[in-house]
Amino acid sequence: GAVVSQHPSWVICKSGTSVKIECRSLDFQATTMFWYRQFPKQSLMLMATSNEGSKATYEQGVEKDKFLINHASLTLSTLTVTSAHPEDSSFYICSARDSQRGVYEQYFGPGTRLTVT
Amino acid sequence: GNSVTQMEGPVTLSEEAFLTINCTYTATGYPSLFWYVQYPGEGLQLLLKATKADDKGSNKGFEATYRKETTSFHLEKGSVQVSDSAVYFCALSDPTYTRTQGGSEKLVFGKGTKLTVNP
């Protein structure tokens, strides 16, 4: 149980285009999902917290107009990188919090590798 | 601000060796502490946690004790196996993070330590 999937697992796009990454909780409902970014040999950095049915809360320094987050249902959150540039190349990881479990339990997806050429 | 520092890897051990991965933290208030493990090609999984000082978290032979006096949460295992090869992340829940609608706890991660266990 408590499986989180991400799609795609990797994507290559051209500079200036937009890319959408999906995060799904497969066997539980998630009122809250989190989006992280991980650079090589660096820790995961929280980008934003996504709450179902409301606007995402972005961390300081994260451009909300560039990283669009939509949490339209209890099992799906999407991250859209708009007008991508090479510096947006990174590993993006989502996690989901099971609504029925303890507040500290986050379940992580396998990540999406984005390369912008 | 809140931060987590863990020993840099990679760490390479032989099977049945003793493992220690050091983790120290800086936080205001009283955070909860976690170790996550990421196996190749998979997402991070919670390995163990401790929510208050002197608590010991344990799972799959791994242990870590919440030491408030030394602000540490070192991960240990007495006898590692090849299947323990993974990247290990120490993390804390930010106690000053404001709860939003539905409740959430911000996690602050260390950089991760890659462990390779050879047969």
Side-chain angles (χ1 to χ4, degrees):
Chain A
V3 178
V4 175
S5 70
Q6 283 185 240
H7 179 78
S9 56
W10 61 270
V11 58
I12 300 173
C13 72
K14 293 188 175 181
S15 188
T17 62
S18 295
V19 175
K20 180 185 286 188
I21 302 170
E22 294 184 348
C23 177
R24 294 182 184 272
S25 56
L26 297 185
D27 50 3
F28 64 97
Q29 294 185 333
T31 53
T32 304
M33 290 184 171
F34 304 87
W35 286 96
Y36 295 84
R37 185 172 178 177
Q38 184 180 25
F39 293 101
K41 299 185 180 181
Q42 300 291 321
S43 63
L44 282 73
M45 300 298 293
L46 180 65
M47 298 174 65
T49 301
S50 167
N51 292 296
E52 187 266 338
S54 65
K55 291 183 179 180
T57 302
Y58 290 82
E59 294 299 300
Q60 192 173 8
V62 178
E63 299 176 61
K64 62 180 180 180
D65 293 330
K66 179 168 187 61
F67 298 99
L68 301 179
I69 292 171
N70 185 16
H71 193 160
S73 77
L74 286 172
T75 59
L76 174 64
S77 176
T78 60
L79 168 68
T80 301
V81 183
T82 62
S83 186
H85 290 284
E87 57 264 30
D88 298 325
S89 298
S90 191
F91 196 56
Y92 293 88
I93 300 172
C94 74
S95 71
R97 192 172 69 85
D98 189 332
S99 305
Q100 316 237 306
R101 291 177 185 257
V103 68
Y104 300 115
E105 203 74 58
Q106 288 184 35
Y107 299 96
F108 286 80
T112 296
R113 172 78 58 193
L114 170 63
T115 301
V116 184
T117 60
Chain B
N2 300 304
S3 65
V4 174
T5 302
Q6 61 181 103
M7 65 185 285
E8 292 194 21
V11 174
T12 303
L13 296 173
S14 298
E15 206 164 23
E16 299 184 2
F18 184 85
L19 169 71
T20 299
I21 301 178
N22 290 336
C23 172
T24 57
Y25 67 90
T26 302
T28 54
Y30 303 96
S32 292
L33 301 174
F34 308 83
W35 277 101
Y36 282 85
V37 58
Q38 185 176 30
Y39 299 103
E42 299 182 16
L44 275 73
Q45 301 173 26
L46 179 63
L47 180 60
L48 53 84
K49 67 181 180 185
T51 58
K52 61 182 187 296
D54 299 326
D55 266 3
K56 177 186 284 188
S58 61
N59 185 26
K60 299 181 181 181
F62 290 89
E63 292 183 341
T65 302
Y66 189 142
R67 301 287 189 198
K68 188 171 183 296
E69 63 276 13
T70 55
T71 62
S72 65
F73 193 55
H74 304 321
L75 182 68
E76 296 182 338
K77 186 174 185 181
S79 176
V80 293
Q81 305 301 311
V82 172
S83 57
D84 295 325
S85 298
V87 181
Y88 293 81
F89 292 89
C90 184
L92 65 79
S93 66
D94 188 335
T96 63
Y97 192 67
T98 303
R99 285 176 179 253
T100 59
Q101 178 184 350
S104 62
E105 298 288 341
K106 176 179 178 178
L107 290 175
V108 177
F109 286 88
K111 292 185 178 182
T113 302
K114 184 177 181 180
L115 170 66
T116 301
V117 180
N118 295 318

